[in-house]
Structures are given as structure tokens and as C-alpha cells.
Amino acid sequence: MRLRTLGALAVEGAGLKREKVLLLLAYLCLEGPQPRRRLADVFWPEAANPMNSLAQHLVHLRTLPGALHEEGSRVEAALPCDAAQMREAARSGQWEQAVALYSGPFLDSLTIPLGADLEEWVFETREALALDMRAALLTLGGQVAARGNTAEAGALAARALMLPAAPPPDEAELPRLYHLLNLSAHPLAAQVERDARSLGVPLDSPAARLVAAAAPFVGRAAELGQLTALPPGSFAWISSPGGMGKTALMDALNRAGGWQLLTGSPEAQAGRPYAMLAPLLPRPVSTPGGALSAFASGRLKVAIDDWDSVDEASREVLTLAARQATSSQPGGAVIVVTSRRHPPFEVRTHLTLGLLSPEDVMQPGLHALTDGHPTLVGAALRGQPLELGQGAKVRALPPELRDTFLLLALQDHPDLRATRAALNLQADAFARILSALTVEGLTSETGRVYAAAAIRQSLSAIYVQSQLLHLRLARALPPETAWPHYAAARDLWEGTDDTRIASVAAARAGALIRRGHPGEARVLLDSLPAWPELAVPHAWALLGAGQYAEAFRRLDALTPPHADAPATLAARATALVRLGRHAEATALAGRVTGTGAEGAQAASVLAHAARIREQWDEARRYSRIAADLWQLNGDEEQHLSELGFVALARVRLGAAPAEAFDALLERARGLPSVRGTMLVNYVQLLLDARQLEAAEAAMREAVRELEVAGDVLGLASVFINLGVSLHLQGHLKEAAGYYKRAIAQLRGTGSIRPLGLALSNLSEIEGDLSAFEDVMEMLERAGQHELVASIRRNAQVVSRFPPSSLQS
């Protein structure tokens, strides 16, 4: 027996007709065990003796064998109910079963009056079940649309839209309804469009614009061709992680015609031997040999989707069939089986499915958006947000797997060791979780999440949870990669994080400075508290950006012991030499001893001061010392950079530019920033030597190297040097063009010194004295007094062209 409540109210196989009695049974079926007192109060709130009324109705229910289970004061229904089965099917994703069970609105045939509480329960349950039905219809519509059947998709969507007892579609349902109706050119699409417009719901999202009328089954042409060409007696196995298109491939075979597609679930087949093979068996069989005879015909083609859903008895028969296929005289049916795992027996044809290639995914930008993951490609083509392609699967994961997945999704290149540390997992447990995520098709074997950007975007909407995940990851990652995650978790920092945050921020700033982005490093460190641990890296960022006075003030504010640290002394000496205070810089650098990085920086300061004084032998000696110390500390880039200054000093002492630089430039290959900067100095020396052709070739090479390195300051330096050279030769229009290119490079870098030099020289050419003075004031405010004095000494307003002729 079963209680029917959808579209009718009756117990199948019984003559019980009393509506109130059946309503009581429906309530127990859907709400679970109930105290007698609650039932009496809900069903007979105004009766003189509610408990007596309940007792009378329970007497009628006891006439149904096994309908009730009573224990003390509690009553429980023990009869199957179509509404309960439909709700469970919908919640477990068995959409077709849910649709088959829904034969009409819940308790729509009731004619008896109801109390307020009971009436509210009936209407709320009716609406909730109708919404479950709409979700099932829309999901099925999306699936048939994915297989290319747009007419059926439109029919399902129309049924969902017009579903009795369901409330009007909401803002999440309207786009899905419109997509399915519009695919099939259904007349109801216009109504949905009007409803969406009146509610302000957009139907033209970026994802929806990727929708194509063709089925989302893309690629797999080679695999499909191989399967359709299998000769009689073949047994093929298709394996892949979840979501890679095994089911879609089976559906495509089915659409090709002539194939028998078998699917099932262990629950539906429980206790039924040969349940999976039942559609092939003309009569009940009791032995594996009897079932195997179903595969005797060479005209039969069978596709079995998901080995794990095959019952044990059918597996035994399929194993026998696979052995026959590998024998010397195979014959009989063609059999294709899919699984998430490799075959447990020998097969001659084994296909493994992976990500789709860019050639498979024809829509522009879709492969980059989805990584070629078939599930995500299908979601995008159906107009769904990408995270929905995996969202339900992720939400169903156990907490440890879900947290691992989300932490991996926050990283473009996952650090597995740090992720494991953030989760506090043992190696074997972490390996099992990674394997499970890979089998589910959520990550690659290296832990990379497919379409991670879409997952991160959806995570960002859960602000605090997202920050907490970033913080856990930041605490576990190495300093050179942790900063973006600390930055994303800023609101959740704790006092115990301060020391590590300072270390991580310093590492991040150092990396930015080495890549030629000191302005970004300055902005990063400006945003943090004035921790003494960050003073030196902050000063180096300011120095790189040309803000020498600010760098000196940052260091000058330190107190012992930080003020007396060798790293601080070396950075202060550098700031002083850049400010033109050479004697103070030399004295301070002389206080730095040792062979560490600070000693190398101090020697570099002494070399710089000697170059300013044009004491080239001393400059060469100190640059050589600095280079040796950088090499001793294992910093090859700094070692070669300093050797570039050794070469410069050698040329000033009489060596030919090529003799000093050629071997060094060859050693610097593969280090584009170092080599580009070295070429900038080389170009200037060639220009001074009037070797114009060689200078031009070296300049072009410098630009290429610095562009590869992304070194904006180096590029700006090239353009300024070329501008100055042309400026001095009287080629004002060409010089102005190079100054403008330098200014374009410097925008947003915060590098005041080179920007001021380019602006002042440009305003000098254009004869704009007002602009010239504005630049001088900006440089004065930035503490660039030495540069201002130098510019004023050399400045000549020599414009021979009207300003308009100099625009480029």
C-alpha cells in the first residue's frame, strides 16, 4: 500500500475514504513521529475534547495493516507516501524519478474545512513540493538541452513555468526558464522576458551570452569514431575522473542509433540479480552463463554507464564477456563500459578521457574560462555561472575534502605542502583527500582546481569565510608567496601574526623591487604599520622610487638597536649618497663591516660616491669588492650588476667599451633586467665615444631585454638617456618623443626622480617655463635638491619648434 497525496488523496489498495483520517496520515508521513498532544492541537484546535477526536481517527488508521507505529505518547506513520518519496528524490538529485512521482498539487482535492495552523501547513507544503518539481523540470530541461534536444527542453521549461500551485518564478529561476524557452523558440519566452524586465532581472549576463543553440557535447570526435567502429565481439572500457564527459559520450552513442544504453543505481538494483542486464534478458535467468547468452548476437551494441552502479551478478557476467573478447576467437555483442577507475580485468580497448583541448572548444575565450573541463564547458554553454557546474558536488563533500578544495582554489599554483600544513593533516590523510578530489573531477593530480578563478569569485561573496581561508593559507605558505593571502585576510590579522606579516611583506617588497616595480613595493609597505622590522625594506622601496628624502627620514626615525643594525647603516648610506651628501654617505658606509649583504651594499655606496667624484680607479675598486661580496652571498644578479659598474669605470679609465662590456653582456644572458640595465650604461658610453651605429643596436637590444623583464624603470632610463643624447645634439623633436615614452612608462610607478628629469627636459624643449618650474617645485618637495641644482645648471630653453609640432 502507498498513500497518494499528489493530485489525489487515497491509499492505494484500500477503501479508506475519510479525508480527515487520510490528512492525518499525510501529516505523519511528511512531518515524522509526532506527540499525540501536538496532533490533537493542530487538527482539532476548537474541539471540546481534542484527544478524543484524535483517538477516533487513529482507530480508522489502524484498519490499514502496518500504517502506524505507536509507542507511548508518540505516533509514527509506517506507510510509503508519494509526496515524501518525491521530496527525497528531488533532494538526492534523482530528477526523473521526482518528476514521475509528481502527479499534481499536494492535497489539491481536499474539500473539508481546516483550522488556521493546518491550512497553513497544507499550503506551505503544497508550494514547497511544487518548487521541488520546478527545480527538477528545469534541471532535466538543462540536461536534454545539453544533448541537443531543444524542443523537449522548451517543453519541460514551459511545464515548469505553468506548474499549478507553484509561486511565480524568482530572480534565480527566470534566467533559466528564459534560456530553455528561448533555445526552442517557445512562445512563452516572451512572457518570461516581460516578467524579468518588470522585476529588473537581467537575462543577458556574460555567461548567458556564451550560450549556443548546439548541444554542449563538444570534442570527443576521435573517441566517438573509435567506439562506433568497434567490430563485433569487442569490449571497450572508458575511464576518467568525474565530470570528464563519460555520460555525455554514452548519450552521444545512444543518439547515433543502434546502441542499447543501460544505466542504474545500486539502490534500485538491491536484491535483484542481473538487474542491470534485465532489459537484455528475454526471460528470468539464474546463472551467469544464462545471462551471458544475451550477448551472443553480433548485431547487439551495449553501452553501460558507470561500472560502480552495476549489480554484483551483472558484473560477473560482464567480466566473463570481457574475457571472451580477449580470447583468440572473440564474437558476439559490442560492449562499452564507463568507470572512474581503470578496468579490473584485461581489455583490448581502453580510452581515458581528460580535459578538452582549445580546438575542441570553439567559442572564443571559453577554454580559458573553463580550463576545458567538460562539466564547466557545458555549464557555460547552458548559460549557468561556472561555479554551479561544480557547486553541488563541492557542497556535498565531507568537511575535510571541502576545505581542502577551497584552499587549493585560492591558489593559481597550489603549494601542496603549505595546504596540508594549513589543514593540519598527516601526509597519508592528505594524499587520500587529493586522490578523492581528483576522482571527483574537481582537481588535477597536482591539486590545481579547474576554473579556480570562478570558485574564488564565488568565495569572495562569503567575505569572512573567504578571509579565514586566506589567513589559514597565508600562515602556512612560504614568505615569498604568502603576501596576497595575508592582504586578502587583513581584517582577521591577530597580534601573533605581526612578526610573520612583516617578514612576508618585506619578501614581497624585495621581489617587486628586483622586478623593477619599487613604486608598488612602496605602496604595499606604506599600507602597513611603521614596524621597525620593515624600515629597511621600506627605505629600499622609496629609494627605488626616487624618494630619497623620504627613505632617509624613515630610517632616521629608528632607535637602537634597529638604528645601529648593519642593514640600516647600509640603507642610510645609500639614501645619503643619492641625496648628494657624499661625505656623510662615505663615513656611514665605512662603519659597515662584515662580508654579508650589508657589506656588499656599503661597498656599492663607496663606489657610487667615487663615481660622483669621478675618481674612477677608486670606483672600480669598490665596485669590484661589492661584486665579490654579492657573489659570496650567492646573489648572481647583484654580482653581475656590480660588475657592470666595474666595466663602466674601466671605460672611464681608458678601456674601449666593447672590451669592457662584451664578455660581461654574454654572461648576463638569461637575466634580462640585469643585462638590460647593463646595456643602458653601455649605450651611454658608446654615444660618448661617437660609436652611434653600435649605440643604436645596443639600445634596441636593451629595450627588448627590459621589456622581457617587465622592468619599467629600466625602460624609462633607456628612453631618458636617448632623449638626453638627442637633446644635446639639437634633435629636439626626436628627443621629446623619447621623453614622452619615458613618462608613459613611469606613470603609476611613484618614481619621482626619473619622472622629474623627463618632465623637466620635455618642458625645456617645449619652452614651457611654467611647467618647468612646476617640475622643479615637485622635485624640491621630494628632497631631490641635488637633481634640481643639476637641471638648473644645464637647462637651456632652446625650443626651435612651436609646441604643437612636438606632440606625438
Side-chain angles (χ1 to χ4, degrees), residues 473-778:
L473 196 55
R475 288 169 172 169
L477 283 166
E480 59 270 18
T481 57
W483 173 253
H485 301 285
Y486 271 125
R490 188 181 292 268
D491 292 341
L492 298 185
W493 289 356
E494 297 176 331
T496 53
D497 292 309
D498 289 354
T499 300
R500 176 166 163 81
I501 289 170
S503 171
V504 167
R508 173 69 170 176
L512 287 169
I513 292 169
R514 285 192 295 276
R515 293 203 300 268
H517 299 279
E520 290 182 44
R522 178 189 58 77
V523 170
L524 185 159
L525 297 174
D526 282 349
S527 69
L528 294 174
W531 292 322
E533 298 87 350
L534 287 178
V536 171
H538 199 176
W540 285 114
L542 291 164
L543 288 168
Q547 296 175 268
Y548 305 149
E550 288 85 345
F552 184 77
R553 283 194 292 270
R554 179 74 168 94
L555 296 168
D556 205 40
L558 291 174
T559 57
H562 298 288
D564 300 323
T568 305
L569 296 177
R572 286 185 70 193
T574 303
L576 286 168
V577 79
R578 299 280 177 85
L579 287 167
R581 295 160 62 176
H582 309 133
E584 294 172 75
T586 301
L588 200 58
R591 291 172 53 190
V592 179
T593 58
T595 58
E598 297 82 5
Q601 289 161 349
S604 185
V605 168
L606 294 171
H608 187 131
R611 288 195 297 273
I612 295 296
R613 297 192 301 269
E614 298 189 2
Q615 295 175 342
W616 297 110
D617 191 55
E618 185 178 342
R620 181 197 56 76
R621 183 166 62 87
Y622 279 120
S623 286
R624 180 78 249 185
I625 292 170
D628 291 344
L629 290 176
W630 284 124
Q631 187 176 42
L632 184 65
N633 283 274
D635 193 328
E636 183 63 12
E637 290 194 24
Q638 290 281 19
H639 168 64
L640 286 172
S641 293
E642 204 65 48
L643 286 180
F645 290 114
V646 172
L648 187 153
R650 286 184 58 204
V651 174
R652 295 302 187 193
L653 289 168
E659 176 192 346
F661 277 89
D662 281 359
L664 195 56
L665 287 168
E666 191 60 34
R667 283 181 61 185
R669 288 191 185 278
L671 298 171
S673 183
V674 172
R675 193 166 187 271
T677 303
M678 202 179 289
L679 282 163
V680 171
N681 289 329
Y682 184 43
V683 167
Q684 187 57 56
L685 294 169
L686 290 171
L687 289 171
D688 291 347
R690 301 297 179 185
Q691 299 178 29
L692 303 183
E693 188 174 336
E696 185 177 349
M699 181 273 292
R700 287 195 296 269
E701 194 173 356
V703 170
R704 285 195 299 270
E705 292 279 11
L706 294 168
E707 284 177 342
V708 169
D711 189 339
V712 293
L713 292 183
L715 278 170
S717 178
V718 171
F719 297 142
I720 290 171
N721 285 355
L722 286 168
V724 168
S725 176
L726 291 164
H727 193 164
L728 295 174
Q729 296 174 49
H731 303 304
L732 304 184
K733 188 172 183 178
E734 294 85 346
Y738 278 114
Y739 291 145
K740 288 175 182 178
R741 291 179 69 181
I743 292 165
Q745 286 288 328
L746 292 165
R747 284 196 182 100
T749 65
S751 300
I752 290 176
R753 182 182 177 90
L755 180 64
L757 186 58
L759 285 169
S760 63
N761 287 355
L762 181 61
S763 60
E764 178 186 329
I765 288 176
E766 294 178 340
D768 191 339
L769 291 177
S770 176
F772 182 84
E773 290 301 329
D774 288 344
V775 174
M776 294 300 101
E777 183 178 353
M778 177 192 75

Side-chain angles (χ1 to χ4, degrees), residues 278-300:
L280 305 177
L281 303 174
R283 60 185 179 278
V285 296
S286 58
T287 64
L292 185 61
S293 65
F295 296 109
S297 172
R299 293 190 298 272
L300 179 64

